[in-house]
Amino acid sequence: QVQLVESGGGLVQAGGSLRLSCAASGRTFSNYVMGWFRQAPGKEREFVAAISWSGTSPYYAASVKGRFTISRDNAKNTVYLQMNSLKPEDTAVYYCAADQTYGSTWYGSFGSWGQGTQVTVSS
């Protein structure tokens, strides 16, 4: 499995921006589809975005499409989540995850996970 470490979370006002990073190690990064999930208190973990092995084909949850952008740098073994126009309902712990198949939004198909980074959006 690949080891994942997220960073970049924090406290931001509504309408603001944050960029999350996830550094990978241990396996060939470009062999994995990379995704971001989030989990708010008392709620299930939900899909946010994912990106193909080469970085050319991202896909998003409807709730973030047009506001969030996922990207990856295979030379740096890093995946990013640029979050703009943040809303209080975006408040959650954000997790980076790795999968070997493309197209899934189900957390159960992602086999490797980071420890999470907290994002809090104040109104």
Side-chain angles (χ1 to χ4, degrees):
Q1 291 188 343
V2 62
Q3 286 76 50
L4 304 171
V5 179
E6 302 97 333
S7 61
L11 174 63
V12 64
Q13 288 189 332
S17 298
L18 280 175
R19 188 174 86 151
L20 306 183
S21 298
C22 172
S25 62
R27 295 279 183 168
T28 304
F29 181 67
S30 58
N31 286 350
Y32 292 89
V33 171
M34 297 301 299
W36 288 96
F37 287 74
R38 65 187 182 187
Q39 189 165 19
K43 294 188 176 182
E44 292 190 352
R45 192 167 297 191
E46 65 170 350
F47 172 78
V48 174
I51 192 164
S52 60
W53 305 269
S54 64
T56 57
S57 300
Y59 54 104
Y60 299 92
S63 58
V64 306
K65 196 168 187 178
R67 299 189 298 123
F68 291 10
T69 301
I70 187 171
S71 61
R72 66 189 295 163
D73 185 337
N74 286 346
K76 295 183 178 179
N77 291 349
T78 302
V79 61
Y80 305 97
L81 185 68
Q82 177 67 44
M83 305 185 294
N84 298 330
S85 302
L86 282 161
K87 305 175 182 180
E89 51 263 44
D90 294 318
T91 295
V93 177
Y94 283 71
Y95 297 91
C96 174
D99 193 1
Q100 290 187 304
T101 57
Y102 177 80
S104 176
T105 62
W106 179 50
Y107 68 86
S109 72
F110 287 75
S112 299
W113 292 84
Q115 81 290 348
T117 186
Q118 177 70 48
V119 171
T120 303
V121 184
S122 63
S123 56

